Amino acid sequence: MDHVEELKSFKISKAVKKKRHDTHNKKWAILSMASIPLIMTLGNSMFIPVLTQMQERLNISSFQSSMIITVYSIVAIILIPLAGYLSDHIGRKKVIIPSLIITGLGGLVSGWAAWKLADAYWVILMGRALQGVGAAGASPIVMPLVGDMFKSEEEVSSTLGIIETSNTFGKVLSPILGSIIAGIVWFLPFFAIPVFCLISTVLVWFLVKTPNKREKPIPFKQFFKNIKKTFAHNGKWLNAIFLIGAIMMFVLFGVLFYLTETLETQYHIDGVKKGLYLAIPLGALCLTSYFTGRLIKENKVLMKWIIFSGSVLLSLSVAVLSFSNRQWFLIALFLFCGIGIGAVLPCLDALITSGIEKEHRGTITSIYNSMRFIGVAAGPPVLAILMGHTGKLLFYILCGFSVLSALLTFMAIKPDEKDTAK
């Protein structure tokens, strides 16, 4: 009898140790996956506070400097769906790791051009385009990878909240880090990117273990039919989420461009101090994303109303911005903008990841990420044009887009009542 009890105790102890080991491994895997959006965000947003300095060094216009941000996103927009398709067929890590390496190479090209060439602008854009190729197959593939690795929707939502928080933390860190690094040498941020990519590559290679069992790849013709079928059944809410994602990133990168230009031209705030000012609204975005990810769990009805409320808060905040351009008034209103966007993004991620079958998840989430990149690409150049021609009208244009986001949420996203958390 004692022998039986000892055997049972041994088995229980072994099971507990295995559970602890699995939990430990999951935490490291989540950390490794979270490094990807963090680094991809740093690879783009880090240049926002440095744009004015680049204009002077490269002798280019405000619109041309905005293209250093935009070209990265344009290339990513085109290639993200292809990367998603490939990840569905050959595996997530087989797409992510080469993409991180390509992103690092793009940073080297841009940095070398800025350092060595007298007329460096167009080569810098080529390097940024190469970074965009890498970005297409890195950060957007993390969402379907999370969906593959975790079984319960609660785990998926919680992990996606961490991933989105990592993304937004990158935005918080970007202006500060970009200002500090550029304060040493103005082109040094380009060379920082390969270092970040190397760290993330090592983490993902060793610590992210994807499921061993993989479905046999579906022939392209059948795959295309299945995607059409997915849109036939889910097109209304999917298209709404795609558009809302684009609007959120358009408004975010638009107001960041506006804020960095205003702080420098009107208030003569630059360098690290400007980075710290930019970090205030972005910090609000980051914290809101984190707590929203923990709150929503599997509750799709709650996700809908958080998206609606965040969009309304964003529209009101942007509209009120037109009343004054006083420094702390701007910062306070941008803080509320950050809260609104930070509430929306984790809900969009969770809805789209948990609502699509695993075999199509990479492609559908990649289309969603393409739409987000469209917003990133459009924000700075559109605001650069509007700031020169429309005055306060630009705030009402941004407000109109935010109201459209709220209307789309109300009319197109209709989860069943059974999707409320138990």
Side-chain angles (χ1 to χ4, degrees):
M1 195 72 176
D2 288 342
H3 179 69
V4 173
E5 290 298 323
E6 283 179 12
L7 188 61
K8 281 183 181 178
S9 177
F10 174 75
K11 286 182 177 178
I12 292 168
S13 175
K14 192 175 178 182
V16 168
K17 284 180 181 177
K18 186 178 184 302
K19 189 174 181 180
R20 283 178 183 167
H21 178 72
D22 290 344
T23 303
H24 179 75
N25 286 346
K26 277 184 180 180
K27 285 179 180 177
W28 277 106
I30 292 169
L31 173 68
S32 303
M33 290 188 291
S35 73
I36 299 169
L38 171 65
I39 285 163
M40 291 299 111
T41 301
L42 286 174
N44 202 26
S45 302
M46 194 164 57
F47 295 99
I48 289 175
V50 191
L51 290 179
T52 309
Q53 193 176 353
M54 286 186 177
Q55 289 172 36
E56 295 171 3
R57 295 283 186 170
L58 298 170
N59 194 25
I60 56 177
S61 68
S62 174
F63 179 80
Q64 284 177 305
S65 72
S66 73
M67 292 304 293
I68 291 172
I69 303 290
T70 297
V71 72
Y72 171 95
S73 304
I74 289 173
V75 174
I77 289 161
I78 297 165
L79 294 178
I80 284 172
L82 175 61
Y85 173 78
L86 286 173
S87 80
D88 281 333
H89 281 66
I90 66 173
R92 314 295 186 204
K93 279 177 69 172
K94 289 178 182 177
V95 173
I96 288 172
I97 288 173
S99 297
L100 286 168
I101 294 168
I102 291 169
T103 304
L105 289 173
L108 286 175
V109 170
S110 293
W112 175 83
W115 180 25
K116 292 291 187 183
L117 299 182
D119 187 13
Y121 177 68
W122 292 106
V123 182
I124 288 172
L125 286 188
M126 288 171 60
R128 293 288 289 160
L130 191 59
Q131 275 185 259
V133 174
S139 189
I141 309 303
V142 174
M143 282 176 62
L145 178 58
V146 169
D148 293 349
M149 291 181 66
F150 298 99
K151 293 180 181 177
S152 77
E153 286 188 19
E154 185 174 337
E155 276 187 310
V156 170
S157 298
S158 176
T159 305
L160 286 172
I162 294 169
I163 299 298
E164 194 61 65
T165 301
S166 175
N167 190 341
T168 54
F169 179 66
K171 291 179 176 65
V172 177
L173 191 59
S174 291
I176 301 169
L177 191 62
S179 300
I180 291 170
I181 296 174
I184 301 168
V185 180
W186 72 272
F187 55 77
L188 205 56
F190 291 120
F191 286 113
I193 293 163
V195 178
F196 298 149
C197 288
L198 177 63
I199 294 167
S200 189
T201 301
V202 172
L203 288 172
V204 173
W205 184 283
F206 290 106
L207 299 175
V208 176
K209 307 296 181 187
T210 52
N212 291 325
K213 187 180 177 183
R214 287 194 52 79
E215 301 293 330
K216 187 179 177 183
I218 304 169
F220 180 77
K221 195 174 281 187
Q222 183 60 43
F223 179 82
F224 188 69
K225 283 182 182 177
N226 291 348
I227 292 294
K228 283 179 70 178
K229 190 177 176 183
T230 298
F231 273 97
H233 287 122
N234 305 289
K236 189 175 180 181
W237 69 266
L238 274 179
N239 289 325
I241 285 177
F242 293 161
L243 196 50
I244 294 166
I247 289 169
M248 290 297 119
M249 301 315 288
F250 172 75
V251 175
L252 175 61
F253 274 78
V255 297
L256 283 176
F257 183 81
Y258 174 84
L259 186 56
T260 192
E261 287 282 314
T262 304
L263 287 174
E264 189 139 341
T265 56
Q266 291 190 27
Y267 298 104
H268 310 292
I269 296 169
D270 56 13
V272 177
K273 189 176 180 182
K274 182 173 74 172
L276 290 168
Y277 277 123
L278 290 171
I280 294 171
L282 290 168
L285 192 156
C286 180
L287 287 172
T288 307
S289 288
Y290 176 73
F291 287 112
T292 302
R294 292 181 68 86
L295 173 69
I296 55 179
K297 301 186 187 297
E298 301 176 40
N299 192 335
K300 293 185 174 66
V301 175
L302 179 61
M303 292 176 200
K304 170 181 175 166
W305 291 112
I306 289 176
I307 296 169
F308 179 81
S309 303
S311 299
V312 170
L313 177 61
L314 178 62
S315 62
L316 291 173
S317 303
V318 173
V320 175
L321 275 169
S322 65
F323 295 167
S324 171
N325 66 349
R326 294 184 67 177
Q327 182 181 322
W328 285 106
F329 184 81
L330 287 177
I331 298 295
L333 267 296
F334 279 125
L335 186 143
F336 284 108
C337 290
I339 292 171
I341 296 170
V344 169
L345 293 178
C347 298
L348 295 178
D349 294 351
L351 280 172
I352 203 163
T353 304
S354 60
I356 298 297
E357 297 87 349
K358 186 177 287 189
E359 61 268 24
H360 304 140
R361 200 173 278 153
T363 303
I364 299 298
T365 57
S366 292
I367 296 170
Y368 164 66
N369 277 285
S370 284
M371 292 301 293
R372 282 179 58 155
F373 267 89
I374 288 172
V376 173
V382 169
L383 262 288
I385 294 167
L386 292 177
M387 284 170 67
H389 296 90
T390 61
K392 291 184 178 181
L393 181 61
L394 71 90
F395 297 112
Y396 301 123
I397 292 169
L398 293 176
C399 176
F401 279 113
S402 305
V403 169
L404 175 61
S405 173
L407 290 173
L408 285 168
T409 306
F410 185 75
M411 296 171 65
I413 301 175
K414 297 184 181 293
D416 295 332
E417 290 301 320
K418 67 181 180 180
D419 289 324
T420 305
K422 303 291 187 288

